[in-house]
């Protein structure tokens, strides 16, 4: 449980910081919030900084996040364009 506690702090913090970064850089370039979420996740994940460790809970959280990403992407499809 000791390794999971910092991860449970880092993941929601990134979810709050991503829209703030997107809004602050939105004056110069328009980048979707999802891009910042993915980049911050890669940055603090085990591949680079290692602040967020992999666990069963984080795996379930990532699968839920992926499902939500697909849902949002699917809801933005304009079917009249087809």
């Amino acid at each position: 449980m000791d390794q999971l506690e910092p991860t449970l702090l880092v993941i929601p913090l990134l979810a709050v910081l991503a829209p703030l970064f997107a809004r602050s850089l939105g004056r110069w370039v328009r980048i979707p919030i999802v891009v910042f979420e993915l980049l911050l996740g890669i940055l603090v994940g085990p591949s680079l900084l290692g602040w967020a460790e992999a666990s069963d809970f984080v795996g379930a959280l990532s699968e839920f996040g992926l499902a939500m990403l697909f849902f949002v992407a699917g809801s933005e499809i304009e079917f009249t364009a087809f």
Side-chain angles (χ1 to χ4, degrees):
M1 185 72 181
D2 291 332
Q3 293 178 346
L4 187 60
E5 291 173 4
T7 302
L8 291 178
L9 178 68
V10 168
I11 292 174
L13 183 66
L14 292 178
V16 170
L17 288 178
L20 296 176
F21 285 146
R23 181 171 288 182
S24 65
L25 290 177
R27 298 176 193 145
W28 299 285
V29 63
R30 294 192 46 96
I31 299 176
I33 294 172
V34 174
V35 173
F36 282 104
E37 290 172 346
L38 291 172
L39 290 176
L40 288 174
I42 292 169
L43 179 70
V44 301
S47 300
L48 292 177
L49 295 177
W51 293 349
E53 297 292 326
S55 67
D56 292 335
F57 179 73
V58 174
L61 208 64
S62 69
E63 289 179 12
F64 179 71
L66 185 63
M68 292 302 295
L69 176 65
F70 287 155
F71 174 74
V72 169
S75 68
E76 293 182 4
I77 294 174
E78 293 182 24
F79 290 107
T80 57
F82 290 117

